[in-house]
Amino acid sequence: MADSALEQLKRSGRIVIVGASLAGLRAAETMREKGFTGSLTLIGDEPHEPYDRPPLSKGVLLGRADADHTLLPRRRDLGAEWRLGVPADGLDMAARTVKLADGDEVPYDRLLIATGVRARPWPNEAERELGGVFTLRTRGDGAALARALAAGPSRVLVIGAGFTGSEIASACRERGLEVTVAERGDGPLVGALGGVIGAVAAEMQRENGVDLRTGVMVTGLEGDATGRVRAAHFSDGTTLECDVVVVSLGAQRNTEWLTGSGLGAGPRGIACDAGCRAFDIRGIVTDDIYVAGDVARSPHALFGYQFLSLEHWGNAVAQAETAAHNMLSESTDRRPHLWVPAFWSSQFGVNIKSVGVPSMGTEIMIAQGSRAERRFTGVYGYQGRVIGAVTFDNSRWLQFYEQQIEATAPFPLPFTTVDRRSEGQKPIPADFPDPSVPTHGPTITLSGYSPADRRITFTPAGH
């Protein structure tokens, strides 16, 4: 784009952001900070201005935070038009317009798609509508589930032992509630961190009074005469009486509104290049449509240029800022989004943090500490290099291993440390589940190389 055209865009262009959440807000702020003075419109399907989601599965469920008071802080005034409570319903790439569900159309010169993900619902619609059956993704979900837990149910059933499901179970136990967790894998967090770490997470849950049932699926939910859930049936033939059920089966990417648009969007997200520019269905990059946050899937040089879909708070911020910068820059000034995935969770009194893509790892070493003490660092290896790391109450080592990942350091680790125990002397299989079987709650998905590849392959995902 010529200088004059770029300056004209920055001065009086029309930028539309679809997705009024974390990524959308941070992108809008970055655009204003970079001197964009044109028209800025944010479209969101929820009626709320952007709010923070991590507290919903932590403080809100414990009654320590109010779901209505989780609005994200603003870095600056946006001077934007907010179109809230009306979802986007279509995209006309040729006419450069976003179609809304109410029939309105919003024109753009540059478009940022940050529509994120939604909770995967319980597959049986009638059972899904029973009173006492919840998912946890939105502010409304958090407030409703918090009220249900505060009412003191006799037993809570959590379906799925990914990070969100495990955090919900932790909150239940902290409230003194009886809770059962059903997980079809061999243990909690196995899709994210593998069986070696999943075994530690399973011990943590059981030691804290969770009725953890692994290798089992919930086959049906049963309601009473008033339409409230009263029991769940399991694949092993058993039945559990419960009056609150939380469905924690992972997320679905919000891309359906793009069907037929010609954009490279599908169940795995919207394909974009390292500079956040969206691909069309032919694999050709667009120059006026960008993607950021949970809905994006983009190639990463550190991880074999595979397309990664990341459901991470930090990734949403970093990718949104990169997209905003590139939308307002000459091609020579654009920069790639190469944020190293990082994630944290707090459950059962333990702080769990990870960097990199553990689920790519085939082997793991306990490099510091001890699994038995619940204070350790696990380092993942893939094809002779460090690919990820996880810490349990040992986060001081995390920055070091992030540097090892960025430097493509060799694996097994060549150095010894003063804190290396006998279990960490050699690598062992990381024990990830069969990649053809999706596990509950994936938050990093490796989704192949071709942005126009329409075949869907489920791969276990990590944090």
Side-chain angles (χ1 to χ4, degrees), residues 132 134 145 148-149 152-159 168-169 172-173 177-182 210-211 240-246:
F134 300 88
L145 181 55
L149 298 185
S154 59
R155 179 165 294 273
V156 178
L157 169 63
V158 180
I159 306 175
I168 293 167
C172 289
R173 291 306 299 145
L177 300 173
E178 297 297 321
V179 59
T180 296
V181 174
V210 174
D211 171 29
L240 177 78
E241 292 189 3
C242 51
D243 42 359
V244 168
V245 174
V246 189

Side-chain angles (χ1 to χ4, degrees), residues 62 64 168-177 208 347-349:
L62 292 169
R64 296 174 185 162
I168 293 167
S170 175
C172 289
R173 291 306 299 145
E174 196 163 338
R175 277 185 172 270
L177 300 173
N208 282 277
Q347 49 188 269
F348 306 103

Side-chain angles (χ1 to χ4, degrees), residues 15 83 92 107 180 197 254 406 426 462:
I15 292 181
R83 303 290 297 268
D92 187 330
T180 296
I197 303 303
N254 293 318
E406 290 175 335
K426 59 182 181 179

Side-chain angles (χ1 to χ4, degrees), residues 108-298:
Y108 66 84
D109 297 305
R110 289 283 186 277
L111 172 66
L112 176 65
I113 302 174
T115 44
V117 300
R118 64 186 184 277
R120 188 179 299 278
W122 185 244
N124 185 302
E125 188 172 355
E127 295 173 1
R128 183 193 315 165
E129 298 302 320
L130 290 171
V133 177
F134 300 88
T135 54
L136 182 59
R137 175 67 188 175
T138 68
R139 199 168 92 174
D141 294 340
L145 181 55
R147 286 194 298 270
L149 298 185
S154 59
R155 179 165 294 273
V156 178
L157 169 63
V158 180
I159 306 175
F163 277 97
T164 300
S166 297
E167 288 175 2
I168 293 167
S170 175
C172 289
R173 291 306 299 145
E174 196 163 338
R175 277 185 172 270
L177 300 173
E178 297 297 321
V179 59
T180 296
V181 174
E183 166 58 51
R184 61 184 164 190
D186 293 335
L189 315 182
V190 291
L193 300 174
V196 173
I197 303 303
V200 178
E203 291 171 4
M204 275 172 41
Q205 292 205 12
R206 292 188 171 116
E207 288 170 3
N208 282 277
V210 174
D211 171 29
L212 175 63
R213 305 186 183 190
T214 59
V216 69
M217 295 177 66
V218 176
T219 55
L221 302 176
E222 181 183 333
D224 61 18
T226 68
R228 290 195 58 82
V229 69
R230 64 170 295 275
H233 301 281
F234 294 84
S235 56
D236 60 4
T238 59
T239 298
L240 177 78
E241 292 189 3
C242 51
D243 42 359
V244 168
V245 174
V246 189
V247 179
S248 188
L249 297 176
Q252 293 176 304
R253 286 165 178 81
N254 293 318
T255 59
E256 291 85 355
W257 68 283
L258 294 165
T259 300
S261 68
L263 210 60
R268 293 173 294 173
I270 305 168
C272 61
D273 69 5
C276 306
R277 294 182 299 173
F279 286 104
D280 69 14
I281 57 174
R282 302 166 298 168
I284 297 175
V285 73
T286 62
D287 206 39
D288 55 358
I289 302 175
Y290 291 71
V291 196
D294 295 358
V295 77
R297 63 186 193 101
S298 59

Side-chain angles (χ1 to χ4, degrees), residues 53-77:
R53 296 187 192 275
L56 298 180
S57 60
K58 301 176 177 74
V60 170
L61 296 191
L62 292 169
R64 296 174 185 162
D66 189 329
D68 293 336
H69 294 91
T70 54
L71 285 180
L72 287 162
R74 301 284 181 85
R75 297 200 304 233
R76 58 173 298 137
D77 178 56

